[in-house]
Amino acid sequence: MVISRIQHSGITLSGQVLNSDAAAAGGAAPYVLLLYSIISGNTPSKMANWAGIWNGDVSALWSSQPISTGTPPDYAEGQIIIPLESFPYGTYTVAYSTAAPGAPAFCSTLSFRGTIIGTDPFTSVIAPVKALAGNLTVSYQTPLGNSPAANNNWIGLWAGQTAQFNGGALVRRSVQGTGAAGTQVLDVALTAGEYYTLAYSSAPEDSAISATCTFYLSAQQ
């Protein structure tokens, strides 16, 4: 079968640190102004979404606690304020999580390496690679340092053009890989002439979806 009409959706980040010099002069405290967009159907407050900033590169996400955190409002696009006590020169990483603190459900990151402007934005991605009558091969990319198997990541597939945040997938499988990026085969009956939607989840909860991809299957010509 032929895969076409692919449409991706993920959680994107941009932002900067404000008042970074004012604090050193005894003025207002610095803070991260983080701009985000999320997947349609996600309700951040209900689904315990949050963002944090770490001292270090992306590897710090998996080995230390954030310096500070902030929570997004219930909008598809908006701003998150992450307060800081200070912002000395160095390397920092901001990450967005689709599950409550305590679960390493990081799906999007932004780097601050000696600068107040966020650079190198990363967004988790899932995509179909090959479709047969009885299975679907998919590829995924998650933040560097993530171990999908250890962190209970999963992949789901829904009929139609929407992934659900409360279950109901045609098939749901735990990700077996230990690397941040990889491929996996889903055993599932597929029908030509139909739309399907893949979802990647960064935590075991149904609501922790961090990336989706809708595609159309047509009979091979």
Side-chain angles (χ1 to χ4, degrees), residues 17-203:
V17 177
L18 300 179
N19 293 342
S20 60
D21 295 327
Y31 62 93
V32 181
L33 177 63
L34 187 64
L35 307 180
Y36 73 90
S37 65
I38 56 177
I39 301 167
S40 177
N42 183 1
T43 306
S45 63
K46 180 180 178 181
M47 298 170 182
N49 289 192
W50 62 283
I53 184 169
W54 282 255
N55 194 338
D57 61 20
V58 69
S59 64
L61 303 181
W62 320 102
S63 60
S64 62
Q65 295 298 311
I67 300 169
S68 184
T69 63
T71 55
D74 287 333
Y75 302 113
E77 298 180 353
Q79 301 178 353
I80 303 172
I81 302 297
I82 304 176
L84 298 168
E85 292 185 0
S86 63
F87 192 72
Y89 184 89
T91 297
Y92 300 85
T93 300
V94 166
Y96 190 102
S97 174
T98 54
F106 309 119
C107 56
S108 299
T109 62
L110 193 64
S111 297
F112 293 83
R113 291 193 289 267
T115 177
I116 62 171
I117 305 296
T119 62
D120 301 324
F122 176 87
T123 300
S124 295
V125 176
I126 187 165
V129 175
K130 183 179 181 181
L132 301 174
N135 62 65
L136 175 68
T137 301
V138 304
S139 65
Y140 58 87
Q141 297 180 47
T142 66
L144 187 66
N146 180 34
S147 175
N151 293 325
N152 299 306
N153 293 186
W154 57 269
I155 295 169
L157 179 73
W158 283 258
Q161 300 184 58
T162 304
Q164 302 297 325
F165 286 76
N166 57 358
L170 291 174
V171 60
R172 169 175 162 162
R173 295 289 182 267
S174 298
V175 181
Q176 302 300 312
T178 57
T183 61
Q184 185 153 323
V185 178
L186 305 179
D187 294 324
V188 58
L190 300 170
T191 303
E194 299 290 343
Y195 279 97
Y196 293 92
T197 298
L198 282 164
Y200 191 97
S201 179
S202 301

